[in-house]
Amino acid sequence: MSVLWVTPVTPQVCGSLLSCTDRVKRKTSLSQGLIYVVRVNQGIAIIINECTNLCFKMSSAEEEKVVVVTGGTGLVGLGLQHVINEINPPNEKWIFLSSKDADLTNTEETRALFKKLQPTHVIHVAAMVGGLFRNMKYKCDFFRINMKMNDNVLEICKELKVKKVISFLSTCIFPDDVVYPLDEKMIHDGPPHDSNYGYAMAKRMVDVMNKVYHEQYGCNFTAVIPTNIFGPHDNFNLEDGHVLPGLMRKVHDAKRDGTPFTVWGSGKPLRQFIYSRDLARLIIWVLQDYNEISPIILSPDEEDEISIKDVAQLIVEAFDFKGEVLFDTSKADGQYKKTASNKKLRSYQPNFKFTPIRQGIRETVDWFIENYEVARK
């Protein structure tokens, strides 16, 4: 478990930087560039990251938050830690949990941990996850383990009167036979693709639970549906990892060993990828300002959809791999496409700027090379 404490910023402190009504540009440690401090009023500062056009509200001391992130040491959790360190929100305590802190499938362990931490807000990321072939092999395990975790977390958050819970879903929950693009209203319109049926059905039930907990108990439980996430701290294991880090690992090994780089499948399937640090910024916005119980898709625009073959080529370029590239068509492709609409997101955040996939892949490859000895693989 890692904890981030942030010191409150008072109007008096902010007043040394700007007047209460002026928009002022000031430099920070943000890797994404400058921010604008827009307004300071009764301890609330509105800041705008000029590279993403996303606003964050810096709250006063009267609005203390204790934000618990389950699965906090994985790809999404570490992306959140990176962004929280950048924006430095005042008077917030962020606690990032790992599987070492408690077994979330165990009700009593989960209850004891949450009672100890007393969260006001929970971002529920923890899940049993894996790539296509692991999902196909262990469907029952994916269903039962994820159902147990989700039931424990939501029930205990209800018991402790947690103000808001954001759970993570996946585009794999959508029906296999559907008209594209996917939107939030289609989740229960038919069965999901058979390849990840267990995982998908367990995740669908979170949407059901959010609705019934709200209707019966008034709980503010919601969910986000990101498209394919990638970034630093990903899981590069060839069996357990998702497609993009798996391809990175294969290119790395092929370059090291002087062997061909083999992509499983035809390379024709299409996917939308979201960089983990973009996702983290959107999650913080959802925590602050998204007030619907119904889920929201967090995805780049439809025109940013890309084939596995083209993704593989970008990875080859990032590694400067000069060897042979092969496609093993004896392996399953999985779902051909999962095109998701971000129309709902754009209605709230029309100007949010996503990191271009070429840049995100380059940064992730650089991180993997620099951290190869400690990376999950």
Side-chain angles (χ1 to χ4, degrees), residues 13-260:
V13 172
C14 291
S16 66
L17 297 173
L18 71 164
S19 73
C20 290
T21 56
D22 291 341
R23 171 179 286 200
V24 178
K25 183 187 289 186
R26 68 181 178 92
K27 291 185 178 180
T28 72
S29 61
L30 284 173
S31 63
Q32 292 290 330
L34 300 176
I35 63 172
Y36 290 99
V37 180
V38 179
R39 177 168 54 87
V40 178
N41 183 19
Q42 297 179 346
I44 299 177
I46 308 297
I47 68 171
I48 302 177
N49 183 322
E50 70 171 357
C51 289
T52 62
N53 285 335
L54 188 61
C55 296
F56 298 102
K57 289 190 295 190
M58 313 289 272
S59 301
S60 67
E62 288 75 30
E63 298 178 10
E64 182 179 31
K65 289 181 182 175
V66 177
V67 185
V68 168
V69 182
T70 70
T73 58
L75 170 63
V76 175
L78 289 168
L80 275 166
Q81 289 193 44
H82 178 86
V83 174
I84 289 298
N85 282 323
E86 281 188 341
I87 64 174
N88 201 32
N91 205 44
E92 295 184 7
K93 179 183 178 182
W94 284 72
I95 304 172
F96 295 87
L97 303 179
S98 75
S99 56
K100 296 178 182 178
D101 294 301
D103 175 5
L104 297 182
T105 66
N106 182 299
T107 304
E108 292 311 313
E109 281 191 34
T110 307
R111 180 176 287 111
L113 178 62
F114 277 51
K115 280 188 174 181
K116 175 183 175 182
L117 300 176
Q118 290 294 307
T120 60
H121 298 72
V122 171
I123 301 175
H124 178 38
V125 184
M128 178 184 178
V129 297
L132 171 63
F133 297 97
R134 185 172 174 82
N135 266 279
M136 292 171 67
K137 188 176 181 180
Y138 301 109
K139 292 178 185 177
C140 186
D141 290 350
F142 274 96
F143 181 78
R144 295 186 68 246
I145 290 171
N146 284 302
M147 285 293 294
K148 286 180 181 178
M149 277 196 277
N150 299 335
D151 184 61
N152 284 337
V153 168
L154 294 186
E155 173 62 15
I156 291 162
C157 285
K158 183 265 291 183
E159 291 176 4
L160 297 179
K161 296 180 171 55
V162 172
K163 293 180 180 178
K164 188 169 189 176
V165 178
I166 302 169
S167 295
F168 268 64
L169 308 184
S170 164
T171 53
C172 74
I173 68 176
F174 286 98
D176 182 34
D177 185 13
V178 70
V179 176
Y180 293 97
L182 306 170
D183 68 40
E184 293 84 356
K185 297 178 182 179
M186 297 179 178
I187 293 174
H188 304 286
D189 285 354
H193 193 272
D194 186 64
S195 62
N196 48 29
Y197 189 86
Y199 176 81
M201 291 304 292
K203 285 295 187 179
R204 276 192 189 187
M205 290 303 101
V206 173
D207 180 51
V208 175
M209 294 167 76
N210 287 345
K211 182 177 180 180
V212 297
Y213 268 104
H214 176 70
E215 290 180 354
Q216 186 168 343
Y217 299 108
C219 297
N220 187 11
F221 296 170
T222 190
V224 295
I225 310 174
T227 48
N228 296 266
I229 312 164
F230 75 99
H233 305 283
D234 213 331
N235 180 2
F236 298 87
N237 184 283
L238 292 177
E239 181 179 359
D240 296 343
H242 289 101
V243 57
L244 201 151
L247 292 173
M248 290 180 179
R249 170 71 185 281
K250 284 187 173 184
V251 176
H252 173 275
D253 292 357
K255 184 175 181 179
R256 179 194 62 196
D257 301 336
T259 56

